[in-house]
């Protein structure tokens, strides 16, 4: 018997699923069926002896072993029905219809297989033709046993699927925490680089005697930037929070580079409450600046957010060298790899990251995110 993958309600509604063949599960389920057949055969034989039956002992074992093994061979029918209608949440009509059809098919196949295997065995053993007995009594007896087997297999399948799903969620949560910790450390390491701190403090020093308000703003931005990187634990926050955090980073960058770096925001109204991965925009802006730091041409970084039919689209585009040219910055692509991994853990295939080229040949990174509203 093959054990299925964990079903999901959404996929069960839309896609017909088949049991996944797993050699180990097939082996264990076959061994279990043999044990059940031997156990039932022993019980029947003891019952025969108790009533003084003269039938050969092997006949009791033939009956029960063929019954158990034919049930095992018919079990893919149960698994298929259970996989496609795992619970009433897929809809009562689908749930009841699939299980009614599944049980009828399973019972018919099981009985036909038993008849088909016992007949040659009887002849081989010299017992004459196999007599199934009056259908009015035999069919209700077989079907009530099949109903119990059907219900037990479906319950086991549903419980196993739920356990696997919970286990997968736990693993994803642990992996996500690891990825976020790595992303925070990476962001913090980048911000704590002597080069970064030197330039930030040098910028503050250059304006502190001329513009006290600006100095206070730069120090406040630097402090909040480092505090968010150290203290943030949640995987997502709102687009408004991400923008506020990224603007602090941008203020330090533009204070250092002056007119060489220009950052333009184009956020459609009404999107501020949607959730986005923490530090996503900051990482992309940081990448744009880092990989074009050596260029003398002005760099323009454009950040856009749009509400699309399929969800939220975030885009960061620059006028720099693009993905096609070799960057002198160390560790190219690590930030994007972390972000792709975070998206996979957060949204399980419902979000994606695309690399592209801007109209001036610079890099363009687009995030497609499911529309999730902050609680």
């Amino acid at each position: 018997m093959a054990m299925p993958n964990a079903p999901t309600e959404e996929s069960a509604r839309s896609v017909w699923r088949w049991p996944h063949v797993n050699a180990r599960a097939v082996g264990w389920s076959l061994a279990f069926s043999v044990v059940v057949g031997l156990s039932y055969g022993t019980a029947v034989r003891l019952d025969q002896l108790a009533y003084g039956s003269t039938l050969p002992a092997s006949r009791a074992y033939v009956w029960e072993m063929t019954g158990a093994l034919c049930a095992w061979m018919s079990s893919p029918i149960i698994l298929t029905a259970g996989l496609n209608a795992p619970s009433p949440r897929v809809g009562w009509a689908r749930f009841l219809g699939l299980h009614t059809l599944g049980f009828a098919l399973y019972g018919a196949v099981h009985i036909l297989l038993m008849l088909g295997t016992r007949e040659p065995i009887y002849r081989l053993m010299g017992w004459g033709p196999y007599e199934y007995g009056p259908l009015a009594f035999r069919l209700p007896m077989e079907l009530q046993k099949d109903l119990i087997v059907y219900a037990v297999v479906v319950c086991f399948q549903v419980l196993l699927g739920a356990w696997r799903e919970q286990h997968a969620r736990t693993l994803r949560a642990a992996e996500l925490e690891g990825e976020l910790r790595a992303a925070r450390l990476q962001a913090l390491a980048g911000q704590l680089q002597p080069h970064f701190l030197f330039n930030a403090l040098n910028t503050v020093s250059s304006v502190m005697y001329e513009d006290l308000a600006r100095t206070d703003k730069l120090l406040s931005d630097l402090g909040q930037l480092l505090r968010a990187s150290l203290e943030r634990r949640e995987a997502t926050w709102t687009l408004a929070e991400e923008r506020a955090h990224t603007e602090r980073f941008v203020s330090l960058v533009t204070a250092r580079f002056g007119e060489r770096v220009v950052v333009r925001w184009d956020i459609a109204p009404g999107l501020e409450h949607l959730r986005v991965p923490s530090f996503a925009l900051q990482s992309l802006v940081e990448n744009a600046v880092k990989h074009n730091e050596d260029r003398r041409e002005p760099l323009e970084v454009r950040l856009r957010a749009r509400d699309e039919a399929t969800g939220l689209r975030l885009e960061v585009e620059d006028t720099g060298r693009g993905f096609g040219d070799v960057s002198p910055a160390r560790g190219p692509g690590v930030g994007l790899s972390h972000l792709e991994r975070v998206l996979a853990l957060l949204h399980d295939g419902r979000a994606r990251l695309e690399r592209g080229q801007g109209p001036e040949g610079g890099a363009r990174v687009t995030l497609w995110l499911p529309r999730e509203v902050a609680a």
Side-chain angles (χ1 to χ4, degrees):
M1 181 168 60
M3 290 292 107
N5 290 330
T8 63
E9 307 299 342
E10 186 175 353
S11 61
R13 289 191 191 98
S14 56
V15 180
W16 188 259
R17 295 161 60 85
W18 299 100
H20 174 67
V21 176
N22 182 306
R24 197 164 83 169
V26 170
W28 277 109
S29 60
L30 176 60
F32 179 76
S33 298
V34 171
V35 170
V36 169
L38 291 174
S39 174
Y40 278 35
T42 302
V44 171
R45 181 56 185 165
L46 292 175
D47 184 71
Q48 290 175 339
L49 293 175
Y51 286 96
S53 174
T54 57
L55 291 173
S58 54
R59 191 169 299 189
Y61 289 99
V62 168
W63 291 342
E64 299 305 325
M65 283 298 294
T66 54
L69 292 178
C70 290
W72 174 78
M73 288 188 284
S74 308
S75 61
I77 298 172
I78 308 178
L79 297 177
T80 303
L83 200 58
N84 290 280
S87 78
R89 285 182 293 173
V90 301
W92 278 102
R94 181 187 179 97
F95 178 75
L96 293 176
L98 271 177
H99 281 302
T100 300
L101 179 63
F103 173 67
L105 189 59
Y106 167 74
V109 172
H110 180 214
I111 292 172
L112 290 175
L113 281 176
M114 282 195 301
L115 296 177
T117 53
R118 286 177 185 176
E119 176 66 26
I121 292 176
Y122 263 57
R123 294 188 179 280
L124 185 65
M125 301 290 288
W127 297 339
Y130 173 68
E131 294 291 340
Y132 187 61
L135 293 181
F137 299 103
R138 295 290 294 179
L139 284 181
M141 184 271 289
E142 293 290 357
L143 290 178
Q144 62 90 20
K145 289 167 62 179
D146 285 348
L147 182 60
I148 294 174
V149 172
Y150 189 95
V152 169
V153 172
V154 168
C155 289
F156 176 75
Q157 179 187 23
V158 170
L159 291 175
L160 181 62
W163 177 82
R164 284 177 170 171
E165 197 171 345
Q166 177 63 35
H167 185 62
R169 279 201 297 268
T170 303
L171 284 178
R172 283 200 300 272
E175 290 179 24
L176 178 59
E177 175 60 28
E179 290 290 337
L180 288 175
R181 188 180 296 112
R184 283 198 298 269
L185 288 173
Q186 186 188 27
L188 185 60
Q191 291 155 11
L192 289 178
Q193 282 177 2
H195 183 64
F196 174 85
L197 285 176
F198 172 79
N199 286 309
L201 293 175
N202 193 41
T203 301
V204 171
S205 175
S206 65
V207 301
M208 64 183 295
Y209 295 110
E210 301 171 359
D211 193 338
L212 188 57
R214 188 183 180 196
T215 302
D216 182 63
K217 174 71 166 50
L218 290 174
L219 288 175
S220 174
D221 287 339
L222 180 60
Q224 293 187 60
L225 196 68
L226 297 178
R227 185 181 302 116
S229 298
L230 283 169
E231 297 178 353
R232 187 68 188 174
R233 292 293 179 269
E234 293 80 6
T236 63
W237 53 12
T238 65
L239 179 58
E241 290 174 308
E242 176 67 20
R243 176 172 181 170
H245 177 79
T246 306
E247 283 179 335
R248 295 183 191 108
F249 179 79
V250 168
S251 71
L252 291 169
V253 169
T254 53
R256 175 189 167 197
F257 289 99
E259 296 180 351
R260 282 181 53 207
V261 176
V262 177
V263 177
R264 301 191 188 283
W265 292 85
D266 183 10
I267 307 294
L271 305 180
E272 297 81 5
H273 61 294
L274 296 182
R275 300 200 74 85
V276 301
S278 303
F279 313 115
L281 290 180
Q282 186 233 310
S283 299
L284 295 176
V285 173
E286 185 178 355
N287 267 0
V289 174
K290 181 175 69 177
H291 293 293
N292 295 284
E293 191 174 334
D294 61 314
R295 290 163 58 90
R296 305 309 304 170
E297 298 87 349
L299 177 72
E300 184 173 319
V301 183
R302 303 154 186 156
L303 297 97
R304 306 187 187 97
R306 291 288 184 272
D307 190 18
E308 304 281 344
T310 55
L312 175 64
R313 188 186 76 185
L314 295 180
E315 196 167 82
V316 177
E317 177 184 284
D318 64 61
T319 57
R321 55 170 35 95
F323 290 110
D325 295 343
V326 178
S327 166
R330 300 180 63 184
V334 173
L336 293 184
S337 299
H338 272 299
L339 189 51
E340 283 182 315
R341 186 62 181 152
V342 168
L343 291 180
L345 293 171
L346 273 176
H347 301 295
D348 195 21
R350 294 180 298 125
R352 69 181 191 276
L353 181 152
E354 290 181 356
R355 297 168 174 84
Q357 190 177 57
E360 295 90 349
R364 175 192 289 162
V365 178
T366 305
L367 305 183
W368 302 87
L369 306 171
R371 192 181 296 101
E372 293 183 349
V373 180

